[in-house]
Amino acid sequence: AVMAATALKDAANDRLAGIADGSAIYALAVDEGSKHAPERPGLRAEKSGNAFRLTGRKVFVADGTSASRVLVLARTGGAVGDAQGLTLFDIDADRARLAARMDAGLPTADTHPVRLHQAMRYACEGGKRLRALLVYATARCLGLPLERADASACAVELIHAYSLVHDDLPAMDDDDLRRGRPTVHRQYDEATAILVGDALGTLAFEVLAADDTVAAAIRAELVLRLTRASGSVGMVGGQALDLAAEGAAPGSVDLSALQDLHQRKTGAL
């Protein structure tokens, strides 16, 4: 969250002035002493109960954590998308938007071969949708219509879904449950789960390549970046490091190696 917030902070800072008094603002509280704290000159906040005061505007921190710095992420009050306001995350609306786009992009459950397509849809149900929320937040920071972010949001979620299906397999983490339900290889079978992952991964790039809301050159760049982030130097490489670390001797994986693992497995995507 801090890394994502740091990437968005400059655009957010420029738009703070338009937030009306009394707006409820959801923020990330960052401790003053944290070496990972994003630089926020002039944004010192005073704590009063669960409310912070930031340049005369009331700020609510979701978890009530006391902190000397507050990074504003999203707000309620005023029109969503107000050009002078700040709305990076509209969580319920963005999840609903993504669900509709995913439903339209996935083959229907009765498409031949039926079992495969039913399992693909099963694998994509539920979840926090954090990656897609970050895509939509970035679009808002840049003042882009969300229609231009839909394909990217779907693509990262499809890659994420495929990675979870494969990660749950007996040859890897051997998990029986995912999102409170049987994993794909338990609900269906191992061979189907492998094919589901293969199909979701390739569908992600089809969704990007077929998006006619952006120029062809931008589509090519998006495909290239997602390929690198999800491949052997990114997410897949991180999974390889994770599997290797599971068999390592206690204490042999230091902090640097752990950071590298998570920067690839989770952070790259």
Side-chain angles (χ1 to χ4, degrees):
V2 172
M3 287 195 301
T6 302
L8 301 175
K9 69 184 178 67
D10 290 335
N13 193 36
D14 291 341
R15 301 173 71 181
L16 277 171
I19 298 176
D21 288 343
S23 293
I25 303 171
Y26 299 93
L28 172 69
V30 181
D31 289 333
E32 180 72 32
S34 171
K35 67 180 180 179
H36 300 297
E39 292 300 320
R40 301 294 292 165
L43 289 183
R44 300 189 67 83
E46 297 177 357
K47 180 76 181 294
S48 175
N50 284 334
F52 284 78
R53 189 153 298 277
L54 177 66
T55 61
R57 296 172 176 85
K58 185 179 287 188
V59 178
F60 297 98
V61 178
D63 62 1
T65 303
S66 175
S68 54
R69 297 188 188 189
V70 174
L71 181 66
V72 175
L73 294 179
R75 59 139 186 153
T76 60
V80 173
D82 177 0
Q84 299 304 314
L86 173 68
T87 303
L88 302 187
F89 294 95
D90 190 349
I91 294 173
D92 291 340
D94 289 350
R95 284 176 175 162
R97 181 183 187 90
L98 179 73
R101 295 332 186 259
M102 293 278 282
D103 182 63
L106 285 162
T108 59
D110 58 358
T111 300
H112 183 71
V114 171
R115 183 176 175 83
L116 172 62
H117 292 126
Q118 288 176 342
M120 288 170 64
R121 286 181 162 270
Y122 180 88
C124 291
E125 294 172 356
K128 297 180 291 295
R129 308 300 197 190
L130 175 62
R131 291 152 187 80
L133 293 177
L134 289 171
V135 172
Y136 287 132
T138 302
R140 288 192 180 96
C141 270
L142 299 174
L144 297 175
L146 295 187
E147 289 77 9
R148 294 183 63 186
D150 284 331
S152 293
C154 288
V156 295
E157 281 298 318
L158 288 166
I159 292 289
H160 179 56
Y162 119 66
S163 75
L164 297 182
V165 174
H166 281 186
D167 188 54
D168 290 336
L169 288 167
M172 296 199 195
D173 284 358
D174 195 15
D175 286 319
D176 294 330
L177 294 174
R178 169 69 65 180
R179 297 170 176 170
R181 304 189 306 173
T183 51
V184 175
H185 70 275
R186 293 297 183 194
Q187 182 72 12
Y188 294 88
D189 56 71
E190 288 184 34
T192 298
I194 293 170
L195 294 176
V196 164
D198 294 343
L200 292 176
T202 53
L203 181 59
F205 297 103
E206 178 183 341
V207 167
L208 281 181
D211 179 26
D212 60 3
T213 67
V214 298
I218 296 176
R219 278 181 268 166
E221 182 70 16
L222 291 171
V223 169
L224 176 62
R225 293 191 181 203
L226 186 61
T227 302
R228 288 174 174 169
S230 59
S232 62
V233 298
M235 183 190 72
V236 173
Q239 176 69 358
L241 293 174
D242 194 6
L243 293 172
E246 288 182 3
S252 63
V253 179
D254 61 15
L255 179 59
S256 176
L258 190 63
Q259 289 174 329
D260 181 49
L261 186 164
H262 287 296
Q263 284 168 357
R264 294 171 186 266
K265 182 174 179 176
T266 303
L269 185 58

